[in-house]
Amino acid sequence: MFSLFRRNPTKKLKKKHSTLLEQAMQAQRRGDIKTYSLLTAEAEDVFAEIKKIHSSER
């Protein structure tokens, strides 16, 4: 019943993940492969954290 008022911990992380992937794509289009790889690695870390939170909720 009170889960309606509970904040979703993954919502913020999903937004950050999406933003990082968008920035990585833009870096790749500019030809900045180093920044692309760094942003992609950070996005993968965020996604792993999302999966960890998701698995602990179940």
Side-chain angles (χ1 to χ4, degrees):
M1 178 175 147
F2 292 106
S3 65
L4 173 68
F5 301 112
R6 190 176 345 170
R7 292 184 183 210
N8 186 355
T10 60
K11 186 176 182 180
K12 190 175 185 181
L13 289 173
K14 286 179 182 179
K15 182 166 176 66
K16 182 176 181 180
H17 179 255
S18 176
T19 302
L20 286 170
L21 289 177
E22 180 71 29
Q23 290 173 351
M25 181 189 65
Q26 294 300 326
Q28 185 181 30
R29 286 183 177 175
R30 287 191 311 268
D32 190 0
I33 302 303
K34 183 178 180 180
T35 303
Y36 165 74
S37 62
L38 291 173
L39 289 170
T40 303
E42 189 176 347
E44 288 177 1
D45 292 341
V46 171
F47 186 70
E49 192 173 339
I50 291 170
K51 286 176 63 174
K52 185 175 84 172
I53 290 172
H54 230 339
S55 66
S56 68
E57 287 179 347
R58 293 177 186 218

